[in-house]
Amino acid sequence: MTVDISVLIGGEAGQGIQTIGLLMARTCHRAGLYVMVINDFESRIRGGHSFIQLRISDRPVHGPTRKLHMVVALDERTYGLHQPELTEGGLVLISKDHADTMAQHHRYKMVDFGGVAKKAGSSILANTVAAGTSLALLGAPFDLFENILKSTFNQVEEKRLAQNIQAAQYGYTAAEDETFKWSWPWAVTSPKGRLVDGAQAVAFGALAGDCRFSAFYPMSPATGIIQHLVDMAQTVPLVIEQAEDEIAAVNMVIGAAFAGVRAMTATSGGGFSLMSEGLGLAAITETPIVIVNAQRPGPATGLPTRTAQADLQFVIHASQDEFPRFVFAPGTPFEAFSVTARAFELSERFQVPAIILMDQYLNDSLFVAEESFEAPETVTSYTAADDLENPVGYRRYAFTDSGISPRALPCKGPALVKVCSDEHDEEGHITEDADTRDAMVAKRFAKVAAMRKEIRPPEVIHAGSDILLVSWGSMRGAMEEAVNQLRADDINCGGVHVVDLWPFPDTALSEILEKVTQFFVVEQNQSAQLGQLIRQQTGCQYTDAVLKYNGRPMSAGEITDAIKTKLR
Amino acid sequence: MTVDISVLIGGEAGQGIQTIGLLMARTCHRAGLYVMVINDFESRIRGGHSFIQLRISDRPVHGPTRKLHMVVALDERTYGLHQPELTEGGLVLISKDHADTMAQHHRYKMVDFGGVAKKAGSSILANTVAAGTSLALLGAPFDLFENILKSTFNQVEEKRLAQNIQAAQYGYTAAEDETFKWSWPWAVTSPKGRLVDGAQAVAFGALAGDCRFSAFYPMSPATGIIQHLVDMAQTVPLVIEQAEDEIAAVNMVIGAAFAGVRAMTATSGGGFSLMSEGLGLAAITETPIVIVNAQRPGPATGLPTRTAQADLQFVIHASQDEFPRFVFAPGTPFEAFSVTARAFELSERFQVPAIILMDQYLNDSLFVAEESFEAPETVTSYTAADDLENPVGYRRYAFTDSGISPRALPCKGPALVKVCSDEHDEEGHITEDADTRDAMVAKRFAKVAAMRKEIRPPEVIHAGSDILLVSWGSMRGAMEEAVNQLRADDINCGGVHVVDLWPFPDTALSEILEKVTQFFVVEQNQSAQLGQLIRQQTGCQYTDAVLKYNGRPMSAGEITDAIKTKLR
Amino acid sequence: MLSTNDYHSDYPNHWCPGCGNFGILDAMKSALAGLGLSPEKILIVSGIGQAAKTPHFLQCNCFHSLHGRALPIATGAKIANHHMTVLVSTGDGDCYGEGGNHFMHAIRRNIDVTVLAHNNGVYGLTKGQASPTSMEGMQTKMQPGGVIVGAFNPLAVALSLGAGFVARGFSGEGDQLSNLIQAGIRHRGFALIDILQPCVSFNRVNTHKWYKDRVVPIEENHNETDLIAALRLALGTDDRIPTGIYHRMESPSYTDRIDKLKDKPLTDHRYRPELLKALLND
Amino acid sequence: MLSTNDYHSDYPNHWCPGCGNFGILDAMKSALAGLGLSPEKILIVSGIGQAAKTPHFLQCNCFHSLHGRALPIATGAKIANHHMTVLVSTGDGDCYGEGGNHFMHAIRRNIDVTVLAHNNGVYGLTKGQASPTSMEGMQTKMQPGGVIVGAFNPLAVALSLGAGFVARGFSGEGDQLSNLIQAGIRHRGFALIDILQPCVSFNRVNTHKWYKDRVVPIEENHNETDLIAALRLALGTDDRIPTGIYHRMESPSYTDRIDKLKDKPLTDHRYRPELLKALLND
Ligand SMILES: Cc1ncc(C[n+]2csc(CCOP(=O)(O)OP(=O)(O)O)c2C)c(N)n1
Ligand SMILES: Cc1ncc(C[n+]2csc(CCOP(=O)(O)OP(=O)(O)O)c2C)c(N)n1
Ligand code: SF4
Ligand code: SF4
Ligand SMILES: [Mg+2]
Ligand SMILES: [Mg+2]
């Protein structure tokens, strides 16, 4: 039997739906299942309507689904809104008696989560009760859940843990007289990899890239990355400073990088706008920095807690004039981890800024990552502090064939390091000379050839198909699932996933795209930005685009429906 | 006989080379000649080396030239640097006796400008002396120059005017024993149009667009625009505020526009970077604003007083997420005037931001504009303050077919106006609703179809040629001159000049470009940004690109040389 | 006669139950009613944050702008039409963090707007990071070792910049706050009212009770025109937090200093081609 | 022994003859020599402007950054390697205009950098627009009717923000200025030295003579630890401009407060995979 169950848990902000989701996800993960948790939160602290989608499967899952098998409604609104989305035979778990106001075409089960929780010791245990009832209905063994509670609450006083276990028990009991159509016999195996969200994966990647300093200004959905860094900073030589604004943040990062530590900042589009000028400063001074832009819908404040992929063209072109930069957009937590570590390494090696495009969906969603997150044994330093032969004649911007000049650090040796945001000569002094300007532009762009070699080609699944779906960043999971669905429906379809976006992998993509009769870009923006870039850089014109930009992540089902319509 | 003479006047910053150039330019202009003055200044107030190029012709001239017939050297360095550039037979006028240090392959004439000036009353008259000697050598009648002095110094005390005339006289006398090979008999006719720089043309255009408010933060080369506005603001209802930074500037402009006046700001790339977030605010609140980005070379501070065309892709994509905007890049002062006025009108009509790309070369250079700058008799207002039928039900973002909602003004009537940088509903309140989001994105983009109709197609010269040169913005003059030179050399070549850049004139350009065998983009940047856009938007691939990015304006000669090499 | 109901907005409130913002909202309504300012005469500009959502919860003209940018928006709007009554609803992060530079320079301009800074010592909307006014040592998820930088003192800074109206209110003292807001609006020029406000979700230090135990009305004999006395109050080192008007002294506001705004607002001028023609023929 | 010659830079100077910046440059060299700080121990960070060109004209490590951004750059650099002596050369526009927000928050952080604010009351490099410190009424090409907003008082603002070292110098008093710079560098924490400087090209009001007629050394009996006394001096309403140290009081600087910087600078830590492995296996 194949398990692919989706549970929606909804209620007001502040009711703790995230706790329920997390407990359930951990339980499934521990059982060796694949699981995802996807947030749908409003930009408020209490009230309103928020929900999470929990997808549980015995096969890898990497994207949201439209199928809904169970709704856990902590309030009436959740019932009203989501009950209609339930698959035939689905079940609603509701926390109170709203029978009068409810339509009857779906089965529901009432559990007085709050009341039961009080019996166990406190009404705040209601979430544990709800998780218990839900898990029981899914067929999860109780001791599995108990173990999860033990590891989750291992820091709290024993009494609270005991109460939680009690609440879980009551939750299980409450499920006894109910059956869930898709309940399955849980064969507990060892966990498949790591349960991780994109934000944490970036933070891990930063440490694997030897990040020592981070400055930031809080902005959803980027804050999670910094929060993870803060949580981990207790044990590693990493200083994190909350700046007064994003301009300060990026400039602090540049200052720290200049002085010799690897440094990053994370923000969302609004903050990235404010950092544009600093990006150019990093470029002209050839200071390595990493900027994460966790995308959300705009323009301006837009939808602060939701997802988008609409800043691609912006980050490629941001800041006045032109300069080489790296742009990456990971598609999974593991890619986020490894791309972040690479971004630090490449940024330092080439002395150029690197930008990582995340988004709210990838940042905030929990995934099971099967790849192992390895700490590298060593981290290469590309600075030239110790082995300068002629410190007096040191020139920070000495012309070289590669365009990369030896980078000494200030106050770390006898060489004086001078950097300058004006166009400068080899020594780092302001220049007005036309030839020097030409040479410095050429020097900076000389790096591109070698940078291109570091760009990994897009990954292709089902190469040789007639039709290709092409996506980037966090669309990977849904796109690949859609490809498989389409193939199951006898459509000869493959997929292309682009992570390394700039310098643009034009040759690799041309080779792939020139072979097919049709290709469709799949993106979370309005204007098919990758599609436009492909046309600009390769001359290949996409057949059509599957686009979504209302802030909710696109599911495989939406893609397959759209493709089928377009193919018709 | 055809006149096309180029005079270089060089010296240290602060020595007044600009005064010499201006006096000479006015004299030529008054005589009915065509003239240009192009600056080459360093970013400093005193010292260093700066120069201007004065191009004088009896036929229209719109760009720099590499030919040099006379050098007026206020210091030795000017002689050393520019004497080698002189055309065979050219003359150097030098202010002091540096005979020993000078190479002898060019003729030079020493005039003790300072000493002569003292004789006329004060050493500060040296510039008048130098202008006098130069004009005398060119053959300009003295009374013409005298009249220019009278109108230039009509505000100063009589004594100073008399001294200036005396100094001019001495300057003329000093030229008596010298001849200039290209001297010509001046047939004084009436002036051909207006002597104007791009900055002033933008300021005129702003007034013709009924600009009432401007906020700015000083930044070369944009400051000239604001300076002209300030100079004109004495008599018109226009308030100008120097903001604490560019972020404040753009937001003040948005606030003022929201409250009901047309408003603009002007900056250069660094300031534009900082304004990116504000640009998005204008977009999502649908507040009409005009931003001028007077481009200079970057990245970052770059070459503050020099020219570039490297922000095109940036301004098209600036700010998070996507929204419609206008982008224009005028090629001449008259285009700057009319485009600016249009930008105000279109921005208000469509309730979208409009960006005007100027650059240092167009902003600071003096041109003879033959077209007449007309003040429109009326300026249409598109606000809906007076005729709202149902003020209580007023919705700032009411859905309409055109995407344009009636725009009432705050505190101007009973309707309450609510705007919001979050995604919002028709009333202007924050929304989290997915359908409303979709509808609002669609509403904003619904405007594009009508916006496209306002986009004027590129201008073509010598349509039907085999080869086309394609340029945008301030490259117009040099590109067209190059086309004519190439045609004179029997190359069947035409030119395309793009002013209205966004929404991109894709259909018009495809039609033009698909007809030719080869086309070359001519741009002042490193990566052929227009070329890239053309490929992205039309699929047409440019044959090659003529690019320059060292901050100095490209001349027709450079273009023809490059094209000939590429055609070989 | 206007009543507080005239400012009622149907738009559902977003704040947490028990939040100090409700007290501020009520005081605003009562102040506006007290001054007889009808909704269509008022423009409320805000940045981004919980505080900045305020204008949605009232009847008024509203510009809910960008994080940190309320003051330049308000400045531009006021210059365009100085007949509007312009209020700024802003948070401590909005006004003193992201918007710190505008705060200083708006004061220098003495632009005639009334700033209500909802000071809850925390970034509420982004879930509880320290703000510029967070007390040293305050622990948050993002500052687990406690805040290590000094708290921003908005009143002292405003005073040192020459602000003409500087006051402190408390969301738990509605009547006083309403009076302060009225006085601030009546003041011709820049008026700062820094309003202490508990954030029940994220600020566990400065609770309602914590404030209640400390706020004291400024003594009657305080001389509002004595800048040094005001600074002493603002810099006061004991536990008490004086509320009321620290300093009040009028001088011509920005728009009062611009001759061409004497007759009528910029918005009311007509386009006059003859003026431009004169310039073009110059 | 180091002499001022050891700081000589061959790079040609860009300033106008007679500019007050030369006096500041000389005082810097003499202060650095006086402290025996060799060029390779010093990092000078600057923004953009005439003042900000200073580090090119000295031997030192130099980060000539963006307009307004010297302080965040300096902050990041100091955190990365707090063994460096970090100076900031900045202008009144750079530091109090574009960089105003960073100015305030760097003070709150008490980051150990010494700020030399070349205060010429004008935007020099961009040719003479008013700056935040331009006096009311000062006419410029861009402000032909005179400046209509109040001048920014950097000393009062710094004091109200709790700055630990606040001083005023004058480019025409080299010895005093050199001493102030030495004291500023010795001060552990944020040090502001606002340096009055004539701009011979654009500021026709505050000339060398104008300053000469007004600057007076702070009286001997001034108590450097008395904040209110310092504020009185800074806000002083008569014509005199006191020079010297207004306020001095040490408290732990930003980097002193971070435990992991106790042993060695961040730059000197090694990458240790075992720490990361522990986290990854958590
Ligand atoms: C440029 C930018 N940076 C960051 C944010 C994210 N952000 C939204 S509200 C907020 C802080 C709110 O704090 P405060 O102003 O004190 O208001 P409160 O929510 O506490 O009332 C931040 C940082 C943003 N919207 N824009
Ligand atoms: C973002 C940005 N805005 C504007 C400028 C232009 N700019 C360069 S220097 C300067 C002002 C300089 O004034 P100040 O800081 O007082 O230094 P001074 O030249 O007077 O020493 C300005 C506005 C810039 N380089 N970058
Ligand atoms: S988070 Fe704090 S400030 Fe925001 S609404 Fe809730 S209690 Fe109020
Ligand atoms: S413009 Fe003024 S500040 Fe700049 S160098 Fe010249 S005199 Fe000095
Ligand atoms: Mg707050
Ligand atoms: Mg200055």
Side-chain angles (χ1 to χ4, degrees), chain A residues 217-220 246 270-271 274 296 301, chain B residues 277, chain C residues 21 48-51 67 91-94 98 118 120 122-126 131:
Chain A
Y217 190 78
M219 187 161 196
S220 308
E246 288 85 352
L274 295 166
R296 71 192 212 190
T301 310
Chain B
E277 196 196 15
Chain C
N21 276 318
I48 290 291
Q50 298 284 23
H67 187 54
D92 40 339
D94 205 29
E98 186 85 47
H118 304 216
N120 56 6
V122 80
Y123 284 0
L125 191 57
T126 48
S131 87

Side-chain angles (χ1 to χ4, degrees), chain A residues 38-58:
Chain A
I38 300 163
N39 294 335
D40 192 303
F41 288 171
E42 294 183 343
S43 179
R44 59 195 291 169
I45 306 303
R46 297 274 177 274
H49 174 66
S50 291
F51 63 90
I52 59 170
Q53 192 189 52
L54 190 75
R55 186 172 177 190
I56 307 161
S57 178
D58 56 0

Side-chain angles (χ1 to χ4, degrees), chain B residues 282-505:
Chain B
I284 198 165
T285 58
E286 303 188 45
T287 308
I289 61 164
V290 175
I291 303 180
V292 181
N293 175 357
Q295 298 162 101
R296 70 191 213 190
T301 310
L303 292 165
T305 57
R306 307 196 180 271
T307 203
Q309 295 187 294
D311 296 352
L312 175 58
Q313 288 263 26
F314 176 34
V315 305
I316 289 174
H317 298 294
S319 209
Q320 66 269 27
D321 212 328
E322 304 167 306
F323 48 85
R325 71 193 83 189
F326 283 108
V327 178
F328 303 107
T332 64
F334 180 73
E335 285 177 359
F337 168 76
S338 54
V339 149
T340 304
R342 270 177 74 216
F344 276 93
E345 134 83 22
L346 292 172
S347 169
E348 187 177 324
R349 173 135 59 102
F350 290 99
Q351 304 179 19
V352 299
I355 297 161
I356 301 173
L357 282 172
M358 296 288 290
D359 55 36
Q360 181 273 330
Y361 160 68
L362 179 55
N363 239 34
D364 293 351
S365 301
L366 277 172
F367 300 77
V368 172
E370 293 192 86
E371 308 92 337
S372 80
F373 288 45
E374 298 281 357
E377 286 309 319
T378 55
V379 166
T380 313
S381 163
Y382 297 96
T383 55
D386 300 325
D387 52 6
L388 286 176
E389 279 160 28
N390 172 17
V392 177
Y394 176 70
R395 289 158 304 144
R396 172 65 187 89
Y397 301 105
F399 292 127
T400 60
D401 287 346
S402 64
I404 301 169
S405 315
R407 178 165 164 253
L409 300 179
C411 304
K412 283 288 179 191
L416 296 184
V417 183
K418 304 192 195 74
V419 313
C420 175
S421 72
D422 286 79
E423 192 57 278
H424 39 252
D425 59 21
E426 290 181 87
E427 280 185 59
H429 283 306
I430 307 170
T431 189
E432 298 266 5
D433 182 59
D435 295 336
T436 310
R437 160 72 179 179
D438 274 332
M440 276 295 159
V441 174
K443 165 186 151 51
R444 289 190 289 267
F445 277 98
K447 302 174 186 177
V448 174
M451 286 170 67
R452 279 188 181 284
K453 295 209 180 104
E454 298 298 329
I455 289 295
R456 305 202 175 150
E459 266 185 57
V460 185
I461 57 170
H462 303 295
S465 305
D466 299 339
I467 295 171
L468 287 176
L469 305 194
V470 185
S471 69
W472 58 282
S474 73
M475 280 311 307
R476 174 176 194 151
M479 181 276 286
E480 291 189 352
E481 189 173 344
V483 165
N484 289 325
Q485 287 174 4
L486 290 166
R487 293 181 73 83
D489 290 343
D490 279 338
I491 297 172
N492 186 357
C493 174
V496 183
H497 170 59
V498 193
V499 174
D500 291 15
L501 280 155
W502 203 260
F504 198 77

Side-chain angles (χ1 to χ4, degrees), chain C residues 191-259:
Chain C
L192 170 68
I193 309 171
D194 184 80
I195 308 168
L196 303 171
Q197 171 225 327
C199 166
V200 296
S201 291
F202 297 113
N203 188 330
R204 301 292 152 86
V205 178
N206 314 112
T207 59
H208 189 78
K209 174 160 180 343
W210 189 94
Y211 285 123
K212 271 283 184 201
D213 291 347
R214 284 164 180 79
V215 294
V216 286
I218 293 174
E219 288 173 25
E220 297 258 326
N221 62 2
H222 171 65
N223 177 356
E224 289 180 353
T225 62
D226 180 343
L227 179 58
I228 296 288
L231 276 163
R232 267 189 212 283
L233 273 186
L235 293 165
T237 41
D238 67 11
D239 249 19
R240 285 170 309 170
I241 307 174
T243 54
I245 300 176
Y246 282 57
H247 185 55
R248 173 154 55 175
M249 203 140 84
E250 271 196 12
S251 59
S253 80
Y254 182 89
T255 43
D256 289 331
R257 292 178 196 207
I258 294 179
D259 281 342

